[in-house]
Amino acid sequence: MSASVAVYRSIYTEDRFKQAYGSDDNASGSLRLREKLAGRCRCSKRACLHLLRERVPIFSWLPRYKLKKWILGDTIAGLTVGILHIPQGMAFALLTSVAPIFGLYTSFFPVVLYMFFGTGRHVSTGTFAVVSLMTGSVVEQLVPSPLEINSSSSEASDFEAQRIGVASAIALLSGIIMLCMFALQLGFLSTYLSEPIVKAFTSAAAFHVTISQLQSMLGLRLPRHTGTFSLFKTLASVMENLPHTNMAELLISLVCLAILVPVKELNMRFRKRLRTPIPVEILTVIIATGVAYACSLDSTYNIEIVGHIPAGFPRPQLPAFHMFPAIAGDTIAITFVGYAVSVSLAMIYADKHGYSIHPNQELLAHGISNTVSSFFTCFPSSATLATTNILESAGGYTQLSGLFTSLVVLIVLLLIGPLFYFLPKAVLACINVTSLRQMFLQFQDLPDLWRISKIDFMVWLVTWLSVVILNVDLGLAIGVVFSMMTVICRTQRAGCSVLGRASNTEIYRPLENHNKCYEVPGVKILTYNGPIYYGNRSFFREEMIRLLGLTPEKIRRREKAIKALEKRERETTVSTVERGITNTSFSSENEFFKSETSESYDQAVLIDCSSVIFVDVAGARLLTQMCTECQKVGVHVYLANCNESVLKILTSSGLMKYMNPQHIFVTVHDAVVYIQQQKEKPSANTTTVWV
């Protein structure tokens, strides 16, 4: 059974509606400003506590922690992620072109700091493959690897110190940038890295990571290529040196892949049944280290091993401040990528579990994490895909799981670290490659993306190809620029339609999609689905001319006809008689001019502004120009559904000098009813014929 709606009310123009229901803008605006200033400047114990809980969220969620309900899940999830952090931290350190111990440091300090300042309950921070790869490219450019170096010499120690100095300088500068963004409340900037860009970028970066690890998996001692076309340069170098493959390291890599890939697949398929995933990475590391030590693989088959891992806490030291000018450009890209991935992950799991995160607070959390940890020889960190997924699936509830994660890493740093001396680097390379599974699987989203939005599909494709073919940094920039260009193009070519009315309703829809709607006689109702600004003013004008048929030539011809008709009417009386005989020649000429003024034109043009989100100065001037041109040919212009900002700009630009303020209505139907009422009682001096 269908319900009916009947509404009886007066016709509302914008002025009349504002008088009836509006408020005093100046009074309310000044009042709101005073309230905001008073709220900001108020200093009390309650305000200080609120600020403390807001900026250090642990003081907000820890007092409300449900110990019996959450502690078991946080403990198991934290320990599971901590075990995974150990091999991944050392593996991603190789991507960063620093010693494995620095990966363990980066898996400890940021985790502890994020637990205090972060708002994502299921976010696991630490080393991330893409950020490590981008950082490693900068390190390789500024501190290139020498062809031969004695790993036990002081020269090797100085070389490692230079490299970690650059990497920690990147972390420090990245943290400073995030803190500055937090101070300016620029958390919204992460939205410029849309979901298609982030997914295409991480998927393409996974190819760079895989190709860069081939030399370690094959036992080749090759310099790392950076810059444009680095992926193809590395691949060509590997192919050229295939005859020099270390067969022992190749065998180790094949065995590790044969273990890691199937077990990780089992973890993924049975993650709902498994209380915790099988820690295959740490088991592989332990077994490989034991086999390499027992068989003396480093001396017998010349395989590359991790080497000395110092036990204990790192001593604080200053990053390489003098490198700031050289790393500034790359650090900005690293900062945006790390922050965008972190916020995206936090939002995904926040939506899933029904809580909210604060992007600006995330800037503060990651900014402090990177800034403080950089003084303890850490490289840039962010939220990580694999460990965050495991943390959530293992039953983590709050940020407290980070405490148990950091305890596992701390035990390794203080006690167990030196035992990994004989760990083959080929094992870490295999862990790097297999950790990218989720990134490679993002190709599965392409068919759905093509079906939903072909423009977003093109953004994905352009970003992916740019990152793979050119480079990680340059490809990301191209992807962002291309994405923004698609937005600009869509606003420039927004659709313009003629609206028709559904019978016996106040509903108006585009005639091109609703053939049962009809045009209101004598009124051309137009709608434009986008802003009117300097970038699309020409297109908007062309569309209006096309739909109204008011070309400059027709406007001039009709204007002349109207002036001629008015002149004829002034020169005659109601009945024109010459020498007692009616002047039939004038009558025929008069009919000719009337036909010129009324040919296929509407009496009124009504523009529905409901989809016009903003108008700039150029757009306002264009509307003023169109209004004057329509008035020249006797066509009245009406507006409806203008939002406050659009109406304010149009009023300030002087449109009301050329347009009656009473011709701006609250809804399209108000305007149509008003026009129809005016049609029923036309002015005695009107020269326009109603259709």
Side-chain angles (χ1 to χ4, degrees), residues 379-453:
F379 50 85
S381 62
S382 72
T384 64
L385 293 174
T387 55
T388 298
N389 185 37
I390 290 174
L391 180 67
E392 190 264 346
S393 60
Y397 288 101
T398 67
Q399 297 94 316
L400 190 65
S401 58
L403 174 64
F404 301 101
T405 298
S406 57
L407 285 176
V408 173
V409 180
L410 182 63
I411 292 171
V412 173
L413 285 173
L414 297 178
L415 303 173
I416 305 175
L419 299 179
F420 295 119
Y421 181 93
F422 290 97
L423 174 62
K425 286 188 176 180
V427 175
L428 298 179
C430 292
I431 292 173
N432 272 334
V433 172
T434 55
S435 68
L436 305 172
R437 177 185 181 277
Q438 284 179 290
M439 299 184 195
F440 284 121
L441 289 179
Q442 290 177 140
F443 279 100
Q444 297 176 350
D445 298 335
L446 287 181
D448 287 338
L449 195 60
W450 172 264
R451 179 176 53 83
I452 297 169
S453 172

Side-chain angles (χ1 to χ4, degrees), residues 175-207:
I176 292 173
I177 292 172
M178 288 187 185
L179 292 176
C180 292
M181 290 172 65
F182 164 75
L184 297 173
Q185 299 291 286
L186 298 179
F188 68 90
L189 289 179
S190 65
T191 58
Y192 288 105
L193 291 178
S194 63
E195 183 178 340
I197 291 178
V198 172
K199 287 190 173 182
F201 172 75
T202 53
S203 179
F207 279 86

Side-chain angles (χ1 to χ4, degrees), residues 72 112 230 256 389 507 513 575 634 648 675:
L72 181 61
V112 175
S230 58
C256 287
N389 185 37
I507 300 171
N513 300 324
S575 175
K648 184 177 180 180
I675 295 169

Side-chain angles (χ1 to χ4, degrees), residues 440-477:
F440 284 121
L441 289 179
Q442 290 177 140
F443 279 100
Q444 297 176 350
D445 298 335
L446 287 181
D448 287 338
L449 195 60
W450 172 264
R451 179 176 53 83
I452 297 169
S453 172
K454 293 177 176 56
I455 293 179
D456 284 340
F457 178 87
M458 289 303 300
V459 170
W460 196 103
L461 189 62
V462 168
T463 305
W464 190 88
L465 289 174
S466 300
V467 173
V468 168
I469 295 174
L470 298 175
N471 193 20
V472 176
D473 303 342
L474 185 58
L476 176 63

Side-chain angles (χ1 to χ4, degrees), residues 84 141 166 170 217 236 299 308 332 359 385 394 420 439 444 448 454 503 520 536 560 579 619-620 641 650 677:
L84 182 61
Q141 289 177 6
V166 173
I170 296 172
M217 295 169 68
S299 57
H308 176 61
I332 292 174
L385 293 174
F420 295 119
M439 299 184 195
Q444 297 176 350
D448 287 338
K454 293 177 176 56
S503 299
V520 178
N536 68 353
K560 288 180 181 179
R579 300 176 184 176
N641 288 323
L650 293 179
Q677 288 180 356

Side-chain angles (χ1 to χ4, degrees), residues 66 124 206-207 323 368 374 519 558 573 575 636 660:
K66 300 177 182 179
S124 173
F207 279 86
M323 287 291 186
I368 292 176
S374 68
E519 279 198 76
R558 195 176 184 204
T573 59
S575 175
H636 298 290
N660 188 343

